[in-house]
């Protein structure tokens, strides 16, 4: 017996209640803010992007307080974002070169950026103090190379700082202030790396799912960057003309584009989860993905070849799995059934600095 169309619609909406509440509430608040503090200038996009970043970290803090846990949260990403907001504040508090041109740039933009910095500070306190027992330091291992684990973020900070010193706009007409803003811009493009890397590290143990609020948090940061990129693309001439090198405007836009590219895979699976009304699921791959999986003498190597003792079966994915099962007499399950875990494939997330388990 077919269900009544009204019941189908009701059932479909019930799956999306949480998502509708979260994003609907934010868009309603955004509209109120727009009506109150903006005079409709295009530069309000900067304020809107900043507001979405604040929204993302508010969600993160709510998630931690509600669950009483910080599992799955990268402290290195939080440290990087704390630097982003702190250095941006050093630039915009004393000068006006990078502020929105409408009236939201008079005071509201400063308030929003300061709120983001405060929320990141709360997040760091929760992960390092109140909920420290639930923090997974082993998975948060991005950049753990030749430095203590808790200082792995330096691998994120150094390249943007060097680049900002030599390639920065001069809209504030002061070296220190301009470098601070540019450093924050460059750093924000890669600050999400440790978080995405941690998703990949924890994928198997989480049944390849990402908690709903956690997915909203990361996606909101990516959407904020897209909005910001739209504004600065329209201001390319100002960025380039303010400096002696036309490369400055190019690098500022490239930095923002890199952030969007890094997030591309995540966005795809996030949209899929929104459409289905189910928790976000990460992809899986049975062989390859840059990770060797050992299971009772059977192994999948980096190039996708499957080895059985001295023999090598060249192939990827399903073909390799079928051949393994055929040689083992068809005993179901392949690698996973023998105790091995399927390795997640998150294309841009498997890059990054080498990590060492300690």
């Amino acid at each position: 017996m077919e269900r009544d169309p009204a019941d189908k619609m009701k059932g479909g909406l019930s799956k999306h209640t949480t998502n509708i509440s979260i994003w609907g509430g934010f868009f309603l608040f955004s509209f109120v803010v727009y009506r109150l503090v903006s005079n409709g200038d295009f530069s309000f996009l900067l304020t809107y992007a900043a507001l979405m970043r604040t929204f993302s970290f508010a969600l993160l803090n709510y998630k931690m307080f509600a669950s009483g846990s910080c599992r799955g949260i990268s402290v290195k990403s939080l440290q990087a974002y704390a630097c982003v907001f702190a250095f941006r504040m050093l630039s915009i508090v004393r000068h006006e070169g990078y502020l929105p041109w409408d009236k939201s740039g008079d005071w509201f933009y400063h308030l929003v950026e300061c709120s983001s910095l405060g929320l990141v500070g709360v997040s760091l306190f929760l992960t390092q103090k109140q909920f420290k027992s639930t923090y997974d330091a082993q998975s948060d291992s991005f950049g753990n190379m030749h430095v203590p684990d808790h200082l792995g973020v330096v691998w994120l900070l150094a390249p943007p700082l060097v680049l900002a010193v030599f390639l920065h706009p001069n809209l504030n007409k002061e070296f220190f202030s301009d470098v601070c803003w540019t450093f924050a811009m460059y750093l924000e493009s890669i600050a999400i790396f440790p978080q995405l890397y941690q998703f990949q590290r924890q994928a198997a143990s989480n049944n390849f799912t990402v908690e709903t609020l956690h997915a909203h948090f990361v996606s909101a940061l990516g959407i904020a960057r897209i909005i910001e990129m739209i504004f600065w693309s329209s201001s390319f001439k100002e960025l380039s003309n303010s400096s002696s090198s036309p490369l400055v405007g190019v690098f500022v836009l490239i930095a923002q584009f890199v952030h969007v590219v890094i997030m591309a895979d995540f966005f795809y699976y996030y949209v899929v989860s929104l459409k289905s009304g189910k928790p976000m699921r990460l992809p899986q791959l049975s062989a390859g993905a840059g990770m060797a999986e050992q299971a009772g003498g059977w192994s999948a190597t980096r190039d996708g070849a499957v080895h059985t003792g001295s023999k090598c079966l060249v192939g990827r994915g399903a073909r390799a799995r079928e051949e393994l099962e055929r040689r083992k007499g068809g005993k179901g399950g392949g690698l996973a059934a023998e105790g091995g875990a399927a390795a997640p494939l998150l294309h841009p997330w498997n890059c990054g600095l080498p990590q060492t388990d300690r």
Side-chain angles (χ1 to χ4, degrees):
M1 181 176 179
E2 291 189 6
R3 293 176 59 190
D4 184 76
D7 291 337
K8 288 183 178 181
M9 181 178 294
K10 185 177 179 181
L13 288 176
S14 65
K15 295 191 300 182
H16 300 279
T17 300
T18 301
N19 296 333
I20 292 174
S21 300
I22 290 173
W23 284 107
F26 172 72
F27 290 136
L28 178 61
F29 177 73
S30 301
F31 178 75
V32 172
V33 168
Y34 176 76
R35 299 292 295 178
L36 293 177
V37 304
S38 175
N39 53 10
D41 189 85
F42 181 71
S43 63
F44 180 76
L45 286 179
L46 273 184
T47 304
Y48 191 65
L51 195 62
M52 186 161 287
R53 285 191 292 265
T54 304
F55 164 69
S56 70
F57 284 104
L59 277 180
L60 180 63
N61 286 330
Y62 172 78
K63 181 258 180 190
M64 284 193 280
F65 277 117
S67 64
S69 170
C70 65
R71 188 177 187 278
I73 297 171
S74 170
V75 168
K76 292 183 176 68
S77 274
L78 293 179
Q79 291 169 337
Y81 272 105
C83 291
V84 167
F85 296 126
F87 278 86
R88 186 172 290 147
M89 288 297 296
L90 285 175
S91 175
I92 67 175
V93 166
R94 299 186 302 116
H95 298 90
E96 300 180 353
Y98 302 97
L99 294 176
W101 300 324
D102 74 343
K103 65 180 183 180
S104 67
D106 295 341
W107 62 274
F108 187 74
Y109 181 75
H110 303 74
L111 175 64
V112 173
E113 290 288 357
C114 186
S115 298
S116 294
L117 178 59
L119 288 170
V120 174
V122 172
S123 298
L124 284 169
F125 172 79
L126 295 177
T127 55
Q128 296 298 283
K129 295 293 183 182
Q130 189 165 345
F131 303 133
K132 186 175 182 179
S133 61
T134 63
Y135 170 57
D136 188 357
Q138 185 175 3
S139 295
D140 192 14
S141 57
F142 183 93
N144 289 359
M145 183 177 67
H146 308 308
V147 295
D149 292 359
H150 64 282
L151 295 179
V153 71
V154 299
W155 291 107
L156 290 176
L157 301 181
L161 180 58
V162 173
L163 193 60
V165 169
F166 293 101
L167 285 170
H168 59 267
N170 290 306
L171 294 179
N172 282 340
K173 302 187 185 306
E174 182 190 87
F175 177 80
F176 177 75
S177 181
D178 287 318
V179 168
C180 284
W181 181 87
T182 310
F183 171 60
M185 173 64 69
Y186 291 159
L187 176 60
E188 188 176 359
S189 298
I190 57 175
I192 200 64
F193 253 136
Q195 184 62 71
L196 297 179
Y197 184 70
Q198 185 160 353
F199 281 153
Q200 184 259 324
R201 294 273 290 168
Q202 291 183 330
S205 62
N206 291 339
N207 195 27
F208 298 94
T209 61
V210 176
E211 294 181 37
T212 300
L213 289 179
H214 213 159
H216 289 322
F217 154 66
V218 174
S219 296
L221 289 175
I223 296 170
R225 178 41 66 98
I226 293 174
I227 295 171
E228 204 167 44
M229 185 173 68
I230 293 172
F231 172 78
W232 287 116
S233 296
S234 70
S235 303
F236 176 78
K237 287 185 178 180
E238 287 81 356
L239 292 171
S240 298
N241 294 341
S242 68
S243 173
S244 58
S245 172
L247 289 177
V248 169
V250 173
F251 267 82
V252 169
L253 295 185
I254 287 177
Q256 296 174 73
F257 182 71
V258 165
H259 191 171
V260 176
V261 170
I262 290 171
M263 294 286 295
D265 247 18
F266 190 91
F267 278 144
Y268 172 77
Y269 292 105
Y270 178 68
V271 171
V272 169
S273 74
L274 289 180
K275 290 174 65 178
S276 67
K278 299 178 181 179
M280 178 177 164
R281 288 191 62 84
L282 303 178
Q284 304 176 37
L285 191 69
S286 59
M291 185 181 296
E293 295 293 337
Q294 300 294 333
W298 303 74
S299 65
T301 63
R302 182 179 298 273
D303 59 2
V306 179
H307 295 267
T308 66
S310 61
K311 296 183 179 180
C312 177
L313 309 175
V314 179
R316 284 187 178 274
R319 279 179 46 211
R321 180 184 290 273
E322 290 171 3
E323 183 65 19
L324 282 174
E325 292 178 354
R326 186 185 66 77
R327 290 200 175 194
K328 295 170 72 175
K331 296 178 180 179
L335 288 173
E338 294 298 314
L345 175 62
L346 311 177
H347 302 288
W349 308 359
N350 282 326
C351 56
L353 298 169
Q355 59 85 27
T356 56
D357 294 324
R358 299 175 185 266

